[in-house]
């Protein structure tokens, strides 16, 4: 039963219709709708149509869910952007950067496919868009970001009941490892010593003194902070305490993931930074970095100066020729990995991995969102650790040749000094030479199980190299992390 009526006595005012619908739970709901016409006869026909449709739905002739989905399919993407954006921000804790980037990718897809409503979203269009991006010479990582944004949106439409299925479920994002445009190289510990010499040789460059650039690079290596994050630092961001309690804090507005960063720094670097920053006002920038494009030129010029110092450190023609053929301190190494300012962040994670730091600790320092990202980038740097672990396990199960009852733990786990451990390779149980046996003074040094030597070997020089360096100061500086702390 339906009735028509007018809400206004003005000429041309439309007629309204009132009728009842039967809900799925059996209850009645009164509906009032405008007929959109001022003609009484036409309004009565429209009212009868509304009432008829309500009766058909009430008796199950029409699937209410399908009817609702058909209505949703006509919604435009623009009408749903606000709801999708709010959902992203809530999940990412007000990460405006990520939300804006995702919506930007969605807009590009809309323009490419020429669609307006969510019912027009199609897997074929998404795959064509993916091919289009590759045709524009976009990297696999960029294409992956675009595809993931589209899949995120379509999945949200499905989860919120606006679409009956996820139309982009079959669309696959490319693997960025298949087409990585820039592989960054880490700075070798020996290269760092020469880089400091190169910085000193150049003096002030691009508005930054040699002291400022050295501290900047040291801070980047020790904390893994990005150039934009370092650029945002002021004297007030540094907190200097006692017994290793010093740290630098970056606000959430200046980090890539929009979460505050709290990065510890060691006592040596803290003392140097405190002396340097004491000459600045609390609100002044800690480092007067040049523009982002110039930062790359600055560190590469410092690398070139360091290489020049290294090449000039030898007078032997043959050795000079060998050094010139080496990729030591070069922008691009033999593996095709390049060096720029962001490579200092990569150096932070790489040096931690080489030192045998636990992956979860590296993840925390690097502020990676997942442990998978950390493992993929740095676990290869401790190759040989697995072999050392297997060798250690085999030794644990081995029965001693003689059990006298007086054998101490050293019988199963020989110990060596930190310096002499560098001569041990993975799986090797003894490389002692008569002249290398520790003296009484050396035996007082800290000791650790021989099985741990595999972690130290990549970053320590052999004893023969150490003795050669002591006799010839012109050789490469010692490989250690102290100078980079």
């Amino acid at each position: 039963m339906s009735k028509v009526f007018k809400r206004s006595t003005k000429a041309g005012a439309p007629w309204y219709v009132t009728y009842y619908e039967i809900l799925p739970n059996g209850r009645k709901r009164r509906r009032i709708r405008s007929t959109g016409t001022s003609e009484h006869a036409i309004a009565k026909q429209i009212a009868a149509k509304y009432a008829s449709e309500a009766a058909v739905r009430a008796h199950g002739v029409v699937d209410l869910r399908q009817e609702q989905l058909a209505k949703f399919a006509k919604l435009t993407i623009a009408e749903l952007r606000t709801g999708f954006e709010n959902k992203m921000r809530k999940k990412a804790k007000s990460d405006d950067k990520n939300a804006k980037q995702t919506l930007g990718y969605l807009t590009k897809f809309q323009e490419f496919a020429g669609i307006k409503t969510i019912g027009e979203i199609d897997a074929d269009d998404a795959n064509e868009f993916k091919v289009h991006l590759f045709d524009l010479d976009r990297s696999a990582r960029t294409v992956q970001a675009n595809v993931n944004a589209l899949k995120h949106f379509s999945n949200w439409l499905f989860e919120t009941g606006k679409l009956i299925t996820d139309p982009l479920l079959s669309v696959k994002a490319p693997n960025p490892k298949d087409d990585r445009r820039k592989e960054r190289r880490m700075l070798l510990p020996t290269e760092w010593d020469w880089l400091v010499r190169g910085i000193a040789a150049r003096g002030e460059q691009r508005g930054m003194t040699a002291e400022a650039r050295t501290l900047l690079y040291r801070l980047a290596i020790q904390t893994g902070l990005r150039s934009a994050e370092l650029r945002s630092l002021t004297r007030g961001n540094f907190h200097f305490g006692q017994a290793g309690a010093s740290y630098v804090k970056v606000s959430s507005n200046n980090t890539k993931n929009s979460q505050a960063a709290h990065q510890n720094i060691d006592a040596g670097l803290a003392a140097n930074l405190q002396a340097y920053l004491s000459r600045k006002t609390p609100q002044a920038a800690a480092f007067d970095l040049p523009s982002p494009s110039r930062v790359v030129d600055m560190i590469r010029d410092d690398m070139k100066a360091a290489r020049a110092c290294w090449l000039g450190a030898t007078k032997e023609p043959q050795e000079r020729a060998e050094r010139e053929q080496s990729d030591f301190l070069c922008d691009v190494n033999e593996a095709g990995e390049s060096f720029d300012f962001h490579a200092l962040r990569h150096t932070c994670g790489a040096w931690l991995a080489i030192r045998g730091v636990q992956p979860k600790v590296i993840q925390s320092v690097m502020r990676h969102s997942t442990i998978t990202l950390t493992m993929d980038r740095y676990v290869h740097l401790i190759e040989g650790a697995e072999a050392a672990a297997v060798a250690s396990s085999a030794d644990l199960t081995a029965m001693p040749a003689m059990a006298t009852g007086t054998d101490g733990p050293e019988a199963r786990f020989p110990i060596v000094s930190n310096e002499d451990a560098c001569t041990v390779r993975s799986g090797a149980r003894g490389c002692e030479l008569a002249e290398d046996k520790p003296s009484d003074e050396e035996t007082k040094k800290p000791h650790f199980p021989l099985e741990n030597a595999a972690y130290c070997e990549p970053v320590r020089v052999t004893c023969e190299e150490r003795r050669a360096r002591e006799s010839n100061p012109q050789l490469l500086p010692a490989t250690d992390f102290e100078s980079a702390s």
Side-chain angles (χ1 to χ4, degrees), residues 470-485:
E470 290 172 352
S471 61
N472 185 359
Q474 295 297 325
L475 294 180
L476 297 182
T479 308
D480 58 50
F481 288 91
E482 300 304 323
S483 57
S485 58

Side-chain angles (χ1 to χ4, degrees), residues 54-357:
V56 170
R57 287 194 295 270
H59 290 83
V61 178
V62 175
D63 189 339
L64 297 179
R65 175 61 178 159
Q66 291 292 340
E67 185 180 48
Q68 186 182 39
L69 289 171
K71 180 181 177 181
F72 281 144
K74 296 178 182 179
L75 292 173
T76 64
I77 295 176
E79 291 175 317
L80 298 172
R81 282 174 66 99
T82 302
F84 179 56
E85 184 177 3
N86 291 337
K87 181 257 183 184
M88 285 190 295
R89 286 179 172 171
K90 182 178 179 181
K91 183 177 180 180
K93 297 180 180 179
S94 303
D95 188 352
D96 292 337
K97 297 178 186 177
N98 181 61
K100 290 180 180 179
Q101 191 176 50
T102 301
L103 292 174
Y105 293 147
L106 186 60
T107 301
K108 289 181 182 179
F109 171 69
Q110 270 188 269
E111 295 172 352
F112 171 81
I115 62 176
K116 293 184 178 180
T117 64
I118 62 174
E120 297 176 282
I121 297 176
D122 183 72
D124 291 337
D125 287 337
N127 285 322
E128 289 180 12
F129 180 59
K130 182 168 62 174
V131 173
H132 169 69
L133 293 175
F134 277 122
D135 290 341
L136 294 177
D137 199 32
R138 300 293 187 266
S139 67
R141 185 177 182 181
T142 300
V143 177
Q144 182 195 52
N146 279 266
V147 173
N148 285 342
L150 302 182
K151 289 174 68 68
H152 188 190
F153 180 65
S154 66
N155 183 255
W156 174 75
L157 294 174
F158 169 66
E159 288 181 343
T160 54
K162 295 177 178 61
L163 291 177
I164 193 170
T165 59
D166 183 350
L168 303 185
L169 184 63
S170 63
V171 178
K172 304 297 182 184
N175 188 347
K177 293 182 181 178
D178 296 338
D179 180 33
R180 193 170 179 87
R181 297 300 176 87
K182 180 178 286 189
E183 289 285 353
R184 290 184 172 88
R185 55 162 292 197
M186 74 170 183
L187 188 69
L188 299 175
T190 45
E191 288 179 318
W192 165 254
D193 293 331
W194 285 102
L195 179 58
V196 173
R197 300 187 192 185
I199 295 171
R202 294 186 70 213
E204 183 173 344
Q205 296 291 330
R206 303 183 185 276
M208 293 191 69
T209 63
E211 178 191 15
R213 298 204 307 282
T214 302
L215 291 174
L216 174 67
Y217 300 162
R218 288 178 66 186
L219 185 62
I221 291 174
Q222 192 167 116
T223 62
L225 292 176
R226 301 173 177 86
S227 60
E229 295 167 341
L230 292 165
R231 188 187 302 275
S232 70
L233 298 179
T234 65
R235 177 179 168 183
N237 291 111
F238 292 85
H239 302 267
F240 302 107
Q242 301 295 328
S246 300
Y247 62 92
V248 56
K249 189 172 183 178
V250 186
S251 69
S252 58
N253 295 329
N254 297 309
T255 58
K256 184 178 179 180
N257 61 0
S258 297
Q259 296 182 13
H262 182 113
Q263 303 298 100
N264 294 315
I265 52 180
D266 71 13
L269 178 57
N272 295 146
L273 284 170
Q274 190 170 19
Y276 167 75
L277 294 172
S278 64
R279 303 190 292 270
K280 292 179 174 285
T281 60
Q283 299 303 319
F287 302 101
D288 299 320
L289 274 76
S291 63
S293 60
R294 297 293 184 183
V295 167
V296 179
D297 296 334
M298 179 179 72
I299 193 169
R300 285 182 174 170
D301 288 344
D302 285 335
M303 285 278 283
K304 290 177 182 178
R307 181 172 171 83
C309 291
W310 177 66
L311 292 175
T314 179
K315 304 300 181 183
E316 294 292 334
Q318 183 177 354
E319 185 178 353
R320 169 80 182 209
E322 291 176 353
R323 291 192 178 193
E324 289 177 345
Q325 295 297 319
S326 169
D327 63 356
F328 191 77
L329 290 168
C330 287
D331 291 347
V332 181
N333 61 16
E334 293 178 352
E337 299 169 333
S338 61
F339 187 85
D340 55 16
F341 193 90
H342 195 78
L344 296 178
R345 172 175 166 81
H346 179 64
T347 299
C348 174
W351 283 12
L352 290 172
I354 290 174
R355 297 180 72 176
V357 175

